[in-house]
Each structure stands twice: as C-alpha cells, then as structure tokens.
C-alpha cells in the first residue's frame, strides 16, 4: 500500500509549454532490466534526465533518496572506484576493497530504497582500463546475486575507455556487454574525453579537439553494441569538464548531441527522432540553457558530484559556525560552565545538517534536468514496508530467466 499523488504530471520545463504526461509505471525501489529500459525510455521521450549522484557513505545515499522523494523524481546513485574504496574503509588495502565497498553500498541502497517510494538506479561510475579488475569484481557479484535472486545487484555499469584508441575501446565494451546482457544490466560507455580531473583520472592537459566526439564515432559505438542488445548509453563528449567552474568558463556545445541523433537516424532509416540514449558528464559550470539543450537532444542521465560534495560540507560548515561555542569541549558552553554539549557534537546532529544541505542541492539538479514531479513518490504506509528485502528467487524460475535472457540475446544478434 502506498501514499502517492496523481499519476499524471506536469513537467516543470524551462520552455513555456507545459505537457501533461503519465508517470512511468515502474515500481519504486531499485530498478533493473526491463523496468530500467522503460524508465530511461520514458525520460528520453518526455524531455527529462535522471540525475546521477556520486555517493561515498550511507549518509550521502540516504540524502539522494530523500531528495528524490521530496522532488517526486527517480534518482541514480553511483559509486566510483575511489568511492568503493571509501565504503570499504580507507585503512582496507585489499585489492578487492573497491569492489567489496561497491557491493556494500548496493546492499544498503537495496535495503532502504523501498522506504523512499521512488525508482532508484544503482550504477558504477568511470572505469578506466587500469581499473578493470574492479569492474570484474562487481560483475562477479552481479552474477552471484542474479543466481540467487533472479536479478542483478546493480542496475548498470560504466566503462570509460575513452583514453584508449576507439577500436580497442569499442572491442572491450562489446566483450563486457555480451556478459552483462545475460543479466539485463545496462552498459554506459564513453567515447571522447571529459576534461578536468576526477577520482584520480586527470585529463586537464588533453588536446581540446578530443573534448568533442564526432557523429561517426558515436555511430560506430551504436553499430557495434546494438548487435548485442539495446540496454546501453553513450557518453559523447561535447566540451564537458570535471570539477568546479563558473558558468561560461567551459565551452560546452550540447547542440552537437542533436547531430549525433540525426546522423544515427539517417543511418538507421528510422522515424525516431532520438534513437540513442546519451549521457552528460562534467556538468559543473554548465548553464541552465546548456543543460536543457542536452536533455532536449536525448541526454537521459547527468552526473553530479562536485556540487553535492560542496553542499554536504557547507551544511556542516554552517552548523559549526552557528554552534561554534558549543563544540569546543564536552562540557561548558555559553549557557554554563557545567553544561553538557553532547546534543551538539553527536555525529547524528551535524551529519544531518550536512544531509539536509545535500538534499536541497540534489533538488536543484533534479529541477534543472526537468525531472521534478516526473514520478509521484509512492511512500509505503507506515509499517507496511518489508524490514528485509532479501528473498531467494525460485531456483527453477531464476535459471529459466537467465536462459531466456541468453536466448533473447542470441536472437538480437541475428536481428530477430
């Protein structure tokens, strides 16, 4: 049983016309497989994108889901290699720590997502060639989870081999996609380079021409991956830069994305205006108009990290500034030398202030991407949400599901 508002929504588009559409009919909680495809197609067809927020703790994961519930919007929670290592604990030096941490995050989100009443996409962020062992570890976890529960642990994964030659980039993506498609896991890939620096990948001195992907490059990816399955998206560079910049200081050209769609449409001979699912990276420094143009041209996901990192810190900074005199010792404050300060330094107090600030900033991104009110939150009635969500799938049904996915993949390869 759920509490929810009308299934019909009016998008808060930056354009003057307001369109009434039906909310996507996927269930709340972590979405995978056919439901994920349905959700992203709904976004592309209805002119909104889903924000993907990098998370490093259960606190930041909860803040993202709270923002989605508050804004009536699907959200994506994504983990980087460094984020996975942080989840595992910075003192853990095991080579599998990043994969284990990513699994830990996913299990937490799966447990709590139904309480927030919105669709949540679990995703892993940039994986360069040197980080493929991390990717392999997450796939192994997906396969084990799929065998037991009949669906993958993660909704989607990203391979970022943009620093490699295009042929090698695409070949490696094909190899992994053939493995992912058996579990109906979405693959995001990048062709063309996002500038700046993030999570140890530094492209600050890259050739500026490589910051702009060509339609031919995008088509070569589409042509190779579409032979295997339809659950993939392309991060095509259009001047994007990781990091924080003032609007106008980054030369974004989102209109290039429309050219990719037109080129693919002509090659396919289809009436579909936007046949490709596109992704936007390096959104910092983008104007509202640039973001709107990207979404208009088929971007269904935009990464956000730098701005929410600042927001989380800023909530804590403001709290410390306000309560400074209550945070200088366990005992003693302006109300008395023997007065205790526990209710101020309790981590649940100041972490909550950080969360509240991040929730607000996530809401800003949701609105900029036109996703606000795209999915009326279906919050369970008090006491009706399951205390635990793990329930082994019927082994026969799970095996049949995996076999059917393999058959569908083979049929897709031969054009059936």
């Amino acid at each position: 049983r759920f509490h929810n508002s009308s299934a019909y929504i009016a998008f808060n588009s930056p354009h003057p016309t307001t369109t009434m559409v039906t909310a996507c009919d996927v269930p709340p909680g972590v979405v995978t497989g056919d439901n994920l495809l349905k959700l992203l197609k709904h976004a592309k067809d209805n002119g909104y994108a889903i924000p993907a927020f990098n998370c490093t703790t259960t606190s930041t994961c909860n803040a993202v889901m709270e923002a989605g519930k508050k804004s009536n919007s699907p959200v994506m929670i994504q983990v980087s290699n460094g984020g996975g290592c942080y989840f595992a604990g910075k003192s853990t030096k095991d080579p599998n720590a990043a994969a284990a941490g990513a699994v830990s995050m996913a299990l937490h989100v799966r447990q709590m997502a139904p309480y927030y009443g919105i669709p949540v996409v679990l995703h892993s962020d940039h994986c360069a060639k040197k980080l493929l062992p991390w990717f392999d570890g997450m796939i192994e976890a997906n396969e084990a989870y799929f065998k037991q529960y009949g669906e993958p642990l993660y909704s989607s994964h990203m391979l970022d081999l943009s620093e490699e030659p295009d042929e090698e980039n695409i070949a490696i993506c094909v190899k992994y996609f053939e493995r992912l498609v058996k579990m109906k896991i979405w693959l995001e890939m990048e062709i063309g380079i996002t500038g700046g620096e993030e999570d140890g990948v530094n492209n600050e001195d890259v050739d500026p021409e490589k910051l702009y992907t060509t339609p031919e490059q995008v088509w070569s990816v589409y042509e190779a991956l579409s032979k295997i399955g339809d659950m993939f998206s392309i991060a095509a560079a259009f001047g994007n830069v990781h990091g924080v910049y003032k609007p106008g200081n980054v030369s974004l050209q989102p209109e290039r994305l429309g050219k990719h769609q037109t080129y693919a449409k002509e090659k396919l001979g289809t009436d579909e205006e936007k046949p490709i699912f596109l992704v936007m990276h390096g959104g910092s420094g983008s104007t509202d108009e640039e973001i709107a143009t990207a979404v208009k041209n088929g971007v269904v996901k935009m990464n956000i990290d730098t701005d929410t990192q600042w927001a989380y810190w800023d909530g804590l900074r403001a709290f410390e500034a306000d309560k400074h005199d209550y945070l200088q010792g366990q005992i003693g404050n302006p109300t008395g030398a023997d007065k205790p300060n526990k209710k101020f330094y309790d981590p649940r107090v100041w972490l909550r202030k950080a969360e509240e600030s991040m929730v607000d900033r996530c809401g800003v991104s949701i609105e900029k991407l036109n996703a606000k009110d795209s999915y009326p939150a279906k919050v369970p009635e008090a006491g009706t949400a399951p205390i635990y969500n793990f329930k082994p799938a019927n082994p026969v049904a799970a095996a049949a599901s995996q076999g059917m996915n393999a058959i569908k993949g083979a049929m897709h390869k031969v054009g059936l």
Side-chain angles (χ1 to χ4, degrees), residues 54-56 78-90 92-103 105 123-138 154 157-160 198-201 305:
N54 282 71
C55 291
T56 53
Q78 62 186 22
V79 64
S80 66
N81 178 270
C85 288
Y86 193 83
F87 248 98
K90 289 293 285 184
T92 306
K93 303 304 180 185
D94 190 281
N96 293 321
V103 169
M105 187 193 84
H123 179 72
S124 67
D125 202 7
H126 296 266
C127 178
K129 189 176 180 179
K130 65 182 179 181
L131 299 178
L132 285 176
W134 169 54
F135 201 87
D136 292 333
M138 291 187 291
Y154 268 79
H157 292 291
M158 184 203 178
L159 284 171
D160 180 2
E198 183 179 56
D199 206 35
V201 178
D305 188 13

Side-chain angles (χ1 to χ4, degrees), residues 30-33 36-37 40 52 75-79 102 105-106 110 120-126 134-135 138-139 142 152-159 177 180 183-189 231-233 279 301 303:
V30 173
V31 291
T32 63
L36 176 57
L37 178 59
L40 293 179
V75 292
M76 293 193 185
I77 290 178
Q78 62 186 22
V79 64
M105 187 193 84
R110 278 192 165 275
V120 178
V121 179
L122 269 170
H123 179 72
S124 67
D125 202 7
H126 296 266
W134 169 54
F135 201 87
M138 291 187 291
I139 295 182
N142 279 308
L153 176 63
Y154 268 79
S155 314
S156 62
H157 292 291
M158 184 203 178
L159 284 171
F177 194 35
L180 296 178
M183 297 175 281
K184 290 193 174 181
I185 297 176
W186 191 279
L187 175 67
E188 176 187 330
M189 68 84 67
M231 292 182 60
F232 67 91
S233 52
V279 172
K301 167 184 180 275
N303 291 3

Side-chain angles (χ1 to χ4, degrees), residues 90-380:
K90 289 293 285 184
S91 66
T92 306
K93 303 304 180 185
D94 190 281
N96 293 321
V103 169
S104 175
M105 187 193 84
L107 291 173
H108 168 74
V109 173
R110 278 192 165 275
Q111 174 64 26
M112 297 312 305
Y115 285 81
Y116 291 87
I118 53 162
V120 178
V121 179
L122 269 170
H123 179 72
S124 67
D125 202 7
H126 296 266
C127 178
K129 189 176 180 179
K130 65 182 179 181
L131 299 178
L132 285 176
W134 169 54
F135 201 87
D136 292 333
M138 291 187 291
I139 295 182
E140 287 177 23
N142 279 308
E143 289 170 338
Y145 195 93
F146 188 93
K147 185 176 181 180
Q148 188 166 356
Y149 298 108
E151 69 169 335
L153 176 63
Y154 268 79
S155 314
S156 62
H157 292 291
M158 184 203 178
L159 284 171
D160 180 2
L161 304 165
S162 56
E163 293 181 329
E164 314 307 323
D166 286 0
E167 295 76 12
E168 183 181 2
N169 180 353
I170 295 169
I172 294 175
C173 287
V174 164
K175 184 184 86 168
Y176 277 103
F177 194 35
E178 287 174 339
R179 193 172 171 188
L180 296 178
V181 78
K182 296 173 184 176
M183 297 175 281
K184 290 193 174 181
I185 297 176
W186 191 279
L187 175 67
E188 176 187 330
M189 68 84 67
E190 181 164 350
I191 191 159
I193 292 175
T194 300
E197 189 275 336
E198 183 179 56
D199 206 35
V201 178
N202 193 319
N203 290 322
E204 291 176 312
D205 299 319
V206 73
D207 178 357
E209 280 304 308
K210 292 185 178 179
L211 298 179
Y212 301 97
T213 309
T214 67
E216 290 79 11
Q217 286 177 293
V218 172
W219 171 249
S220 64
V221 174
Y222 183 91
E223 194 173 29
L225 296 183
S226 62
K227 293 174 183 175
I228 302 166
D230 53 1
M231 292 182 60
F232 67 91
S233 52
I234 302 171
F238 54 98
N240 321 60
V241 178
H242 287 135
V244 57
Y245 303 89
K246 289 183 178 180
N249 284 4
V250 175
S251 180
L252 283 181
Q253 299 178 24
E255 62 279 357
R256 286 176 177 249
L257 301 178
K259 295 177 181 178
H260 302 330
Q261 299 286 14
T262 301
Y263 189 88
K265 178 184 175 182
E266 291 172 356
K267 283 285 190 180
L268 291 167
T270 180
D271 291 331
E272 189 176 358
E273 291 298 319
K274 295 177 287 186
I276 304 173
F277 291 96
L278 295 172
V279 172
M280 179 176 176
H281 291 176
S284 298
S286 308
T287 66
D288 291 355
E289 292 74 21
E290 287 166 340
I291 292 172
T293 300
V295 173
K296 179 183 176 183
N297 286 313
V299 162
V300 294
K301 167 184 180 275
M302 186 177 88
N303 291 3
I304 299 106
D305 188 13
T306 306
D307 293 332
T308 45
Q309 286 178 348
W310 170 259
Y312 195 83
W313 154 250
D314 197 40
L316 172 55
R317 181 203 57 76
F319 174 75
E320 193 282 332
D322 183 45
K323 304 298 182 184
H324 176 83
D325 293 343
Y326 295 82
L327 298 167
Q328 303 310 304
Q330 288 185 282
I331 303 292
N333 61 48
T335 65
D338 59 346
K339 296 294 183 181
N341 293 318
K342 179 172 169 47
K343 66 179 181 179
F344 299 102
Y345 65 75
D346 183 332
R348 292 168 295 182
V349 177
W350 46 267
L351 278 174
R352 181 56 186 159
K353 295 301 180 182
E355 288 173 356
E356 289 171 348
S357 179
M358 182 170 170
V359 168
D360 289 344
R361 183 57 186 81
C362 288
V364 171
S365 292
I366 289 169
E367 193 155 2
K368 285 176 181 286
L369 292 170
N370 205 30
K372 182 175 171 60
D373 295 327
S374 62
Y375 186 97
K378 301 174 182 177
V379 180

